Amino acid sequence: MIRVGIVGGTGYTGVELLRLLVGHPNVTLHAITSRGEAGTPVAQLFPSLRGRVDLAFSHPDEAPLDACDVVFFATPNGIAMHEAPKLLAKGVRVIDLAADFRLRDVAVWERWYGMRHASPEWVAKAVYGLPELFRDEIRTAQLVANPGCYPTAVQLGLAPLVKAQVVRCEGLIADCKSGVSGAGRKAEVHTLFAEASDNFKAYGVAGHRHQPEIVQGLARLAGTDVELTFVPHLTPMIRGIHATLYAELTTEVDLQALYETFYREEPFVDVLPSGAHPETRSVRAANLCRIAVHRPGNGRRVVVLSVIDNLVKGAAGQAVQNMNLMFGLPETTGLMQVPVSP
Amino acid sequence: MIRVGIVGGTGYTGVELLRLLVGHPNVTLHAITSRGEAGTPVAQLFPSLRGRVDLAFSHPDEAPLDACDVVFFATPNGIAMHEAPKLLAKGVRVIDLAADFRLRDVAVWERWYGMRHASPEWVAKAVYGLPELFRDEIRTAQLVANPGCYPTAVQLGLAPLVKAQVVRCEGLIADCKSGVSGAGRKAEVHTLFAEASDNFKAYGVAGHRHQPEIVQGLARLAGTDVELTFVPHLTPMIRGIHATLYAELTTEVDLQALYETFYREEPFVDVLPSGAHPETRSVRAANLCRIAVHRPGNGRRVVVLSVIDNLVKGAAGQAVQNMNLMFGLPETTGLMQVPVSP
Amino acid sequence: MIRVGIVGGTGYTGVELLRLLVGHPNVTLHAITSRGEAGTPVAQLFPSLRGRVDLAFSHPDEAPLDACDVVFFATPNGIAMHEAPKLLAKGVRVIDLAADFRLRDVAVWERWYGMRHASPEWVAKAVYGLPELFRDEIRTAQLVANPGCYPTAVQLGLAPLVKAQVVRCEGLIADCKSGVSGAGRKAEVHTLFAEASDNFKAYGVAGHRHQPEIVQGLARLAGTDVELTFVPHLTPMIRGIHATLYAELTTEVDLQALYETFYREEPFVDVLPSGAHPETRSVRAANLCRIAVHRPGNGRRVVVLSVIDNLVKGAAGQAVQNMNLMFGLPETTGLMQVPVSP
Amino acid sequence: MIRVGIVGGTGYTGVELLRLLVGHPNVTLHAITSRGEAGTPVAQLFPSLRGRVDLAFSHPDEAPLDACDVVFFATPNGIAMHEAPKLLAKGVRVIDLAADFRLRDVAVWERWYGMRHASPEWVAKAVYGLPELFRDEIRTAQLVANPGCYPTAVQLGLAPLVKAQVVRCEGLIADCKSGVSGAGRKAEVHTLFAEASDNFKAYGVAGHRHQPEIVQGLARLAGTDVELTFVPHLTPMIRGIHATLYAELTTEVDLQALYETFYREEPFVDVLPSGAHPETRSVRAANLCRIAVHRPGNGRRVVVLSVIDNLVKGAAGQAVQNMNLMFGLPETTGLMQVPVSP
């Protein structure tokens, strides 16, 4: 059994990790920490876990995290870079669901995240945890930087095109729509029900932290520079990301075959038949990415539709998938939940 | 392995049964029928099941239902009473998720459902499938009448009071709120998103078919007549039933202890601590009923709050629970999904 | 023209008052105050008012409120009792949309609101602003206590029964459902979209501040004590209150005629035909209460369904209606908005 | 007073027209027709109009439409082309809210709408009713083709760029998101609450009827061919369209000044400050288009955000605006409703 710790388990990523780990056959929950909720039983804060999680939140300073085999950081950005190195030094493996180790270029990271990086040496050693693209590195990683929700949907959607070098690498567009849980469980006016319901808006058009993360991943696949316009939107739904991706073909190619071949062996990526329109609910609560490729009017423009559940394949599910790889388990262990629909 | 058939698998109850049965370790799906969708792959109609269900819908006349160990009817009311007897005659066990066998009094049934009953002889033999109240009969039943969604929430909420004879059996009130999936997957104007969203209304105040079903069950528990006002409401959420139940105490009693004792051994009923307010999302997609008991101002009035997911404990999950009992499996087999929240 | 001031215009009641006053032909907006947003243009905080409101928020200490003919307090509870007396002393008329002057019994108020009342002398002079029941007093009032949202829906729903003394005054039940805007524009976790959407729950079952307010009003109408169980619920919609009211008849009466007669002359109360189920959206954004009366199975139990928009007839619209009465304008002036549906 | 008739008043466009016309000071409602609801009082079908509309639906063959000054067609596509010519021949002016007269090229129309056009001669005479672009022609038109909802948001969003010839006219992208009321009041499975809520999907990526309408309008403004990729999405909200528009600059230009100048005199188009993100709710229930222009990273890519209420500026409100122009009234008459927010 893998002894698991969770740091910062009071947000949506934390409760989703718990939902998945509770049903995982090779895991025992060893510790969950929260500064603000220390002493509170987990199931009191999250009644959905009543009868399934007996632990209480521990204070981070008192939790037996170094006795864990793996620790998930479900903390705000800027925590793991301070706390993880101590655990890593003791041989504990770490999966960070925040952004601390996602960008290889520390200067770029510091610009976007507005703070000084506390452990640049670990940035260099961290592995970017998108298993479909970087599976082999993940297996042996001690520190995994779990990708952001938008970056997962966009990179999986564009990877086949970019890798095959069949589209222009300038002029890529990712028009993305996210459910409100993507904004986290912080009390803020703009994500109140009365503000976000029956409403739709873009945000961060001038620049969003997930843009450099996406560009870094695509550039690595392309072997060349990539230029991407990224526009996120807030959608009145709890979960789900829908990425509508635009690229310009530079050569003739059978797009459907390209995608089906690229993802043929992948248990968590589903290429839909030609002409399909994936719905976010078709992956609700499941560790899946569903993709459809279109070429309207048979022109040069490719339109890719890519959907994930932001809390599962976009966060906690992907983290468990990474854990499975890191511990030599079958990749699908504990992750075969059927999507909840309707 | 239990060979399972499903008749009428194109509604929400059908797809939810499939979600649960796909993950059930003792089941093989043998046949799914649909008159309208014969030939269509199940996963084409329900993309959430892509990669998990390989079957196509069969025409009911051609499906190998009599080779099944158990057949679920997820059909509109009035179908199972015609089709089930043939299967029952061949020894197939049947769980009807519609209302055909729920009311013992055929005349009452015919009045509420507006049709002549086609197999009154099977009404007499059917067992009402509310395991927490009638577990022993279910184990040996050949035909189980799976309860309605409202009746499940209301009967589980009121059972301890009525059984203990601590409340007046006249003047009971069940003010119930249901998610829109309770109305089924039929195309109707009043359940369109643009009609039902950001809106709330009562319906059927003059009389609703679930009222006699509830009264029948409570009267059996009480051993006396029961008089209940039942008012259902349509709520802008996909899943969930919230029953707010009002009764008048006739004697002093420790309500919290009464409920905790009554449901102590039940894996699927959770009595919350005194003062709690269960939320429908705390049981979303799970086979659970959560209950809280209140006595405002310490007066004679008891207020019970009871929540279920109408498609799980109120339909498909309860049906699988009944199947487990009928086939001697541990009752929780395949039903330990953690609620999806948020 | 009536010079109008608004104290505390940054919540939902404030922006709704602005929406209504902007279109009112006899009003000029003279000042809007906010401690936190002083200096911010109103239309910057509320883009829906761009091009319609040119004012900026003033600091309360600097706003020319005493030059107003009437000042609306759209503040949290406990502010108006401190600030209004100064204005009242200068002859300014005041309409308080908070609870400070709603309860005649100061001791009861202090118990429910958990603070010492700062101006009990004004409690005695305040008029309860439910025009359909207390119109004449409102005309000459200097200080109007605008009713709460739940109390408006419940009192209008039960008034004909209680006034006519045809029901038992004990054992009344008000099972009420409110949209999330009723919780205000404060940043709180439980009203986040990801918490409140696709969810339903009761709250405050042990006791809610609107209960004594309702009881006070009904007792006055009944001329006797009234005993009421009040259970509020949070509903995943932005606006709307649906009150489902239960009472027990003590005599034979033509309920439909009783209600139609009671409200015959009322421009803002609509008694639906027998058998109807009012929907909250049928009053969305309008100053209306729609009511239907039921008597299931022709028994002794009466079920009344009463719907309002909590921000209009339950708050800002009713306040404007009171202002019209106080200033001798036709009561419907500026309040004939047609409900927005769908 | 303008005598107004409405043909086909049972859909969302119809009820919204009624909401606006009821409050219009220069209009009397003369007739509303419906084949299916003939004889039904309008306020019975739409309870939001109780007390405001006394008319019943007439059968189209019996309605006194030729005694009207103007008749609105709020019918499905393909009706007005048959019925309008008779009225036009008698001098009645017609505003068609469907698509029958929107495309100048009858062959293109027939291809997209899959039927033979019944009155091509009137196509040539029809005026495209987008007042901000074609105001002068509308004043004298006898037949106005009211634009589609998507085309209104997209054309208003791109017009300044295209007219000023500062962007490439190939490679335009309109990524559009619509509320579910845009799909109309037809009973269909995919727009049921339980299907469309908490869900997001694209549709019609292979081709959508609004694409040629948009291209026709933009090409006329540009004076050259235009090539546009148009991807519509279904969003879980009742009302609202959000168009996210992508274009490539060909020259340096002050975008903010360009837009502010272009729309300086327009009462119904609001150009937001630089950096803003318009929300659909900021125009809810109002005849407004709000636009913001962005240039991420100061590159060549322009991103325009354009929002309308699909039922108002995207349908009924624009139709009334056109009527005002046609009858020499101030353009804003009856259209100054303040957006409903929250």
Side-chain angles (χ1 to χ4, degrees):
Chain A
M1 297 296 273
I2 306 168
R3 273 167 310 167
V4 165
I6 300 177
V7 178
T10 62
Y12 293 142
T13 303
V15 65
E16 189 68 354
L17 259 180
L18 287 165
R19 180 175 75 89
L20 297 174
L21 293 173
V22 154
H24 194 293
N26 303 93
V27 155
T28 55
L29 275 174
H30 200 64
I32 310 177
T33 76
S34 161
R35 223 164 270 274
E37 298 285 349
T40 307
V42 170
Q44 182 176 316
L45 193 68
F46 297 119
S48 61
L49 297 171
R50 278 177 61 88
R52 305 302 289 275
V53 175
D54 290 330
L55 283 175
F57 291 103
S58 316
H59 191 281
D61 299 343
E62 294 163 10
L65 293 172
D66 46 12
C68 293
D69 298 305
V70 63
V71 169
F72 294 91
F73 279 80
T75 42
N77 299 320
I79 305 293
M81 66 184 183
H82 287 289
E83 304 298 329
K86 290 177 274 189
L87 297 168
L88 291 162
K90 295 187 181 164
V92 178
R93 298 172 90 174
V94 167
I95 300 172
D96 179 25
L97 287 85
D100 295 18
F101 303 100
R102 289 183 194 153
L103 298 185
R104 313 288 293 181
D105 186 328
V106 171
V108 171
W109 190 91
E110 293 183 338
R111 184 147 22 95
W112 281 98
Y113 290 88
M115 42 186 144
R116 188 150 189 79
H117 204 291
S119 52
E121 69 284 9
W122 275 107
V123 171
K125 294 185 218 158
V127 170
Y128 190 70
L130 195 46
E132 288 76 11
L133 303 182
F134 312 112
R135 181 170 283 120
D136 287 337
E137 302 172 36
I138 295 165
R139 289 190 214 278
T140 57
Q142 201 193 344
L143 169 60
V144 165
N146 212 55
C149 49
Y150 287 125
T152 297
V154 175
Q155 289 176 87
L156 292 178
L158 289 175
L161 294 176
V162 164
K163 188 84 178 289
Q165 301 183 310
V166 298
V167 293
R168 285 179 63 221
C169 281
E170 315 90 69
L172 296 172
I173 292 175
D175 189 290
C176 294
K177 299 86 176 173
S178 173
V180 185
S181 67
R185 199 171 154 270
K186 295 176 301 292
E188 291 187 317
V189 170
H190 81 287
T191 48
L192 291 177
F193 182 92
E195 303 281 313
S197 177
D198 215 60
N199 190 31
F200 191 88
K201 65 171 177 182
Y203 63 99
V205 177
H208 185 285
R209 294 159 171 188
H210 284 177
Q211 199 263 3
E213 182 182 339
I214 297 167
V215 165
Q216 167 186 282
L218 293 179
R220 188 170 156 201
L221 287 177
T224 175
D225 279 359
V226 157
E227 187 250 315
L228 171 89
T229 302
F230 171 58
V231 178
H233 301 77
L234 192 67
T235 304
M237 59 185 178
I238 297 177
R239 290 161 175 252
I241 283 183
H242 186 291
T244 313
L245 308 166
Y246 301 89
E248 207 176 314
L249 280 180
T250 53
T251 180
E252 268 312 308
V253 59
D254 179 339
L255 290 168
Q256 187 67 22
L258 176 70
Y259 274 75
E260 290 184 0
T261 305
F262 195 92
Y263 288 120
R264 190 186 309 279
E265 305 296 328
E266 291 299 337
F268 297 125
V269 181
D270 176 27
V271 177
L272 298 183
S274 183
H277 301 93
E279 310 187 30
T280 57
R281 65 180 181 140
S282 76
V283 298
R284 187 188 290 140
N287 195 54
L288 283 167
C289 177
R290 298 202 205 265
I291 296 176
V293 206
H294 291 257
R295 194 174 163 187
N298 215 29
R300 282 181 314 161
R301 178 87 69 199
V302 188
V303 180
V304 182
L305 312 173
S306 167
V307 301
I308 60 170
D309 182 321
N310 56 303
L311 295 179
V312 192
K313 185 60 181 161
Q318 187 140 273
V320 173
Q321 187 180 351
N322 283 320
M323 180 194 74
N324 287 342
L325 284 169
M326 292 161 81
F327 288 84
L329 299 171
E331 199 167 331
T332 57
T333 311
L335 289 175
M336 291 302 283
Q337 293 82 3
V338 182
V340 175
S341 176
Chain B
M1 298 297 274
I2 306 168
R3 272 166 311 166
V4 165
I6 299 176
V7 178
T10 62
Y12 293 141
T13 304
V15 64
E16 189 68 354
L17 259 180
L18 287 165
R19 180 175 76 90
L20 297 174
L21 293 173
V22 154
H24 195 292
N26 304 94
V27 154
T28 55
L29 276 174
H30 200 65
I32 310 175
T33 75
S34 161
R35 221 164 272 275
E37 297 286 348
T40 307
V42 169
Q44 182 176 317
L45 193 67
F46 296 119
S48 61
L49 298 170
R50 279 176 60 87
R52 305 302 290 272
V53 175
D54 290 330
L55 283 175
F57 292 104
S58 315
H59 192 280
D61 299 344
E62 292 161 12
L65 294 171
D66 46 14
C68 294
D69 297 306
V70 61
V71 170
F72 294 91
F73 279 79
T75 43
N77 299 320
I79 306 292
M81 69 184 181
H82 287 289
E83 303 298 329
K86 290 176 276 191
L87 297 169
L88 291 162
K90 294 187 181 165
V92 178
R93 298 173 90 173
V94 167
I95 300 173
D96 179 26
L97 286 86
D100 295 18
F101 303 101
R102 290 183 193 153
L103 297 184
R104 313 286 296 179
D105 186 327
V106 171
V108 171
W109 190 91
E110 293 183 339
R111 182 143 29 88
W112 281 97
Y113 290 87
M115 42 187 146
R116 189 150 188 79
H117 204 291
S119 53
E121 70 283 10
W122 275 106
V123 171
K125 293 185 218 160
V127 169
Y128 190 69
L130 195 47
E132 288 75 12
L133 303 182
F134 311 113
R135 181 170 283 119
D136 288 338
E137 302 173 36
I138 294 165
R139 288 190 213 279
T140 57
Q142 200 192 344
L143 169 60
V144 165
N146 212 58
C149 48
Y150 286 126
T152 296
V154 175
Q155 290 177 86
L156 292 178
L158 289 175
L161 294 176
V162 164
K163 187 83 178 291
Q165 300 184 311
V166 297
V167 292
R168 286 178 62 221
C169 282
E170 316 89 69
L172 296 172
I173 291 175
D175 189 290
C176 294
K177 300 84 175 174
S178 173
V180 185
S181 67
R185 201 172 153 270
K186 294 176 302 293
E188 290 186 318
V189 170
H190 80 289
T191 48
L192 290 178
F193 182 92
E195 304 279 315
S197 178
D198 215 59
N199 189 32
F200 190 88
K201 66 171 178 183
Y203 63 98
V205 178
H208 185 285
R209 294 159 171 188
H210 284 175
Q211 200 264 2
E213 183 182 338
I214 298 167
V215 165
Q216 166 186 283
L218 293 179
R220 189 170 156 201
L221 286 177
T224 175
D225 279 358
V226 157
E227 186 251 317
L228 171 88
T229 301
F230 171 59
V231 177
H233 302 76
L234 191 68
T235 304
M237 60 185 175
I238 297 177
R239 291 161 175 252
I241 281 182
H242 186 291
T244 313
L245 307 166
Y246 301 89
E248 209 177 313
L249 280 180
T250 53
T251 180
E252 269 311 309
V253 61
D254 180 338
L255 290 169
Q256 187 67 23
L258 177 69
Y259 274 74
E260 290 184 0
T261 306
F262 196 92
Y263 289 121
R264 190 185 308 279
E265 304 295 329
E266 293 298 338
F268 297 125
V269 181
D270 176 28
V271 178
L272 298 184
S274 183
H277 301 94
E279 309 187 30
T280 57
R281 65 180 181 141
S282 77
V283 297
R284 187 188 290 141
N287 195 53
L288 284 167
C289 177
R290 299 202 204 265
I291 296 176
V293 206
H294 291 257
R295 194 174 162 187
N298 215 27
R300 282 181 313 162
R301 179 87 67 198
V302 188
V303 180
V304 182
L305 312 174
S306 167
V307 300
I308 60 169
D309 182 321
N310 57 302
L311 295 179
V312 192
K313 185 62 181 161
Q318 185 141 272
V320 173
Q321 188 181 350
N322 282 319
M323 180 194 74
N324 288 343
L325 284 168
M326 292 161 81
F327 288 85
L329 298 172
E331 198 167 332
T332 57
T333 312
L335 288 175
M336 291 302 283
Q337 293 83 3
V338 182
V340 175
S341 177
Chain C
M1 298 297 273
I2 307 169
R3 272 166 311 168
V4 166
I6 300 176
V7 178
T10 62
Y12 293 141
T13 304
V15 64
E16 189 68 354
L17 258 180
L18 287 166
R19 181 176 75 90
L20 297 174
L21 293 173
V22 154
H24 195 291
N26 303 95
V27 155
T28 55
L29 276 174
H30 200 65
I32 311 176
T33 76
S34 161
R35 224 164 270 275
E37 296 287 347
T40 307
V42 171
Q44 183 176 315
L45 193 67
F46 297 119
S48 61
L49 297 171
R50 278 176 60 87
R52 305 303 290 274
V53 175
D54 291 331
L55 284 175
F57 291 104
S58 316
H59 192 281
D61 299 343
E62 293 161 10
L65 292 172
D66 46 13
C68 293
D69 298 306
V70 62
V71 169
F72 295 90
F73 279 79
T75 42
N77 299 320
I79 305 293
M81 68 183 183
H82 286 289
E83 303 299 329
K86 291 176 274 188
L87 296 169
L88 291 162
K90 295 188 182 165
V92 179
R93 298 172 90 174
V94 167
I95 300 172
D96 179 26
L97 286 85
D100 295 18
F101 302 101
R102 288 183 194 154
L103 296 185
R104 312 286 296 180
D105 187 327
V106 171
V108 171
W109 190 91
E110 293 182 340
R111 184 146 22 92
W112 282 98
Y113 290 87
M115 42 187 145
R116 189 151 188 80
H117 204 292
S119 52
E121 68 285 8
W122 275 107
V123 171
K125 294 185 217 159
V127 169
Y128 189 70
L130 195 47
E132 288 74 14
L133 302 182
F134 311 112
R135 182 170 283 118
D136 288 337
E137 302 172 36
I138 295 165
R139 289 190 214 278
T140 57
Q142 202 192 344
L143 169 60
V144 165
N146 212 57
C149 49
Y150 286 125
T152 297
V154 175
Q155 290 177 85
L156 292 178
L158 289 175
L161 294 175
V162 164
K163 187 84 178 290
Q165 301 183 312
V166 298
V167 293
R168 285 179 63 222
C169 282
E170 316 89 70
L172 296 172
I173 292 175
D175 189 291
C176 294
K177 299 87 176 174
S178 174
V180 185
S181 67
R185 199 170 154 271
K186 292 176 302 291
E188 291 187 317
V189 169
H190 80 288
T191 49
L192 289 178
F193 182 92
E195 302 281 314
S197 178
D198 216 60
N199 189 31
F200 191 88
K201 66 170 176 183
Y203 63 99
V205 177
H208 185 284
R209 295 159 170 188
H210 283 176
Q211 201 264 2
E213 182 182 337
I214 298 167
V215 165
Q216 167 186 281
L218 293 178
R220 188 168 157 201
L221 287 176
T224 175
D225 279 358
V226 157
E227 186 252 315
L228 170 88
T229 302
F230 170 58
V231 178
H233 301 77
L234 192 67
T235 305
M237 59 184 176
I238 298 178
R239 292 162 173 251
I241 282 182
H242 186 291
T244 312
L245 308 166
Y246 301 89
E248 207 177 314
L249 280 179
T250 53
T251 179
E252 268 312 308
V253 59
D254 179 338
L255 290 168
Q256 188 67 22
L258 176 70
Y259 274 74
E260 290 185 358
T261 305
F262 196 92
Y263 288 121
R264 189 185 309 279
E265 305 295 328
E266 291 299 338
F268 296 125
V269 181
D270 176 28
V271 177
L272 297 184
S274 182
H277 301 93
E279 308 186 33
T280 57
R281 65 180 181 141
S282 77
V283 298
R284 187 189 291 142
N287 194 53
L288 283 167
C289 177
R290 300 202 204 265
I291 296 176
V293 206
H294 290 258
R295 194 173 163 186
N298 216 28
R300 281 182 314 161
R301 178 86 69 199
V302 189
V303 181
V304 183
L305 313 173
S306 168
V307 300
I308 60 169
D309 182 322
N310 56 303
L311 294 179
V312 192
K313 186 61 181 161
Q318 187 140 272
V320 172
Q321 188 182 351
N322 282 321
M323 180 194 74
N324 287 342
L325 284 168
M326 292 162 81
F327 287 85
L329 298 172
E331 198 166 332
T332 57
T333 312
L335 288 175
M336 292 300 284
Q337 292 81 3
V338 182
V340 175
S341 175
Chain D
M1 298 298 273
I2 306 169
R3 274 166 310 168
V4 165
I6 299 176
V7 178
T10 62
Y12 292 141
T13 304
V15 65
E16 189 68 355
L17 258 181
L18 287 165
R19 180 175 77 89
L20 297 174
L21 293 172
V22 153
H24 195 292
N26 303 94
V27 154
T28 55
L29 276 174
H30 200 65
I32 310 177
T33 75
S34 161
R35 221 165 273 275
E37 296 286 348
T40 307
V42 170
Q44 182 176 316
L45 192 68
F46 296 118
S48 61
L49 297 171
R50 278 177 60 88
R52 304 303 289 273
V53 174
D54 291 331
L55 283 175
F57 290 104
S58 316
H59 192 280
D61 300 344
E62 293 161 10
L65 293 172
D66 46 13
C68 293
D69 297 307
V70 62
V71 169
F72 294 90
F73 279 80
T75 42
N77 299 321
I79 306 294
M81 68 182 181
H82 286 289
E83 303 298 328
K86 289 177 275 190
L87 297 169
L88 290 163
K90 294 187 181 164
V92 178
R93 297 172 90 174
V94 166
I95 300 171
D96 179 26
L97 286 86
D100 296 18
F101 303 101
R102 289 182 195 155
L103 297 185
R104 313 288 295 178
D105 186 327
V106 171
V108 172
W109 190 91
E110 293 183 339
R111 183 145 26 90
W112 280 98
Y113 289 88
M115 42 186 144
R116 190 153 186 76
H117 204 292
S119 52
E121 69 284 8
W122 275 106
V123 171
K125 294 185 219 162
V127 170
Y128 189 69
L130 195 47
E132 288 75 13
L133 303 182
F134 311 113
R135 182 170 283 119
D136 288 337
E137 302 172 34
I138 294 166
R139 289 191 214 278
T140 57
Q142 201 192 345
L143 169 60
V144 164
N146 213 58
C149 49
Y150 286 125
T152 296
V154 176
Q155 290 177 86
L156 291 178
L158 289 176
L161 294 176
V162 163
K163 189 82 179 292
Q165 300 183 312
V166 298
V167 293
R168 284 179 63 219
C169 281
E170 316 89 69
L172 296 172
I173 292 176
D175 189 289
C176 294
K177 300 84 176 174
S178 173
V180 186
S181 67
R185 200 170 154 270
K186 294 175 302 293
E188 291 187 316
V189 169
H190 81 288
T191 49
L192 290 178
F193 181 92
E195 303 280 315
S197 179
D198 214 59
N199 189 30
F200 191 87
K201 65 170 177 183
Y203 63 99
V205 177
H208 185 283
R209 293 158 171 190
H210 283 177
Q211 199 264 3
E213 183 182 338
I214 297 167
V215 165
Q216 166 185 282
L218 294 179
R220 188 168 156 202
L221 287 177
T224 175
D225 279 359
V226 157
E227 187 250 316
L228 171 88
T229 302
F230 171 59
V231 177
H233 301 78
L234 192 67
T235 305
M237 60 185 176
I238 298 177
R239 290 162 175 251
I241 283 182
H242 186 291
T244 313
L245 307 166
Y246 301 89
E248 207 177 315
L249 280 180
T250 53
T251 180
E252 269 311 308
V253 60
D254 179 338
L255 289 169
Q256 187 68 21
L258 176 71
Y259 274 74
E260 291 185 359
T261 306
F262 195 92
Y263 288 122
R264 190 185 309 279
E265 304 295 328
E266 292 299 337
F268 297 125
V269 181
D270 177 26
V271 178
L272 298 183
S274 183
H277 300 94
E279 309 187 32
T280 57
R281 64 180 183 139
S282 76
V283 298
R284 189 189 289 141
N287 195 55
L288 284 167
C289 176
R290 298 201 205 264
I291 296 176
V293 207
H294 291 257
R295 194 173 161 187
N298 215 29
R300 280 182 314 162
R301 179 87 68 197
V302 189
V303 180
V304 183
L305 313 173
S306 167
V307 301
I308 60 170
D309 182 321
N310 56 302
L311 295 179
V312 192
K313 187 60 181 161
Q318 185 141 274
V320 172
Q321 188 181 351
N322 282 319
M323 180 194 74
N324 287 343
L325 284 169
M326 292 161 80
F327 288 85
L329 298 171
E331 198 166 330
T332 57
T333 311
L335 288 175
M336 291 301 284
Q337 293 82 4
V338 182
V340 175
S341 175

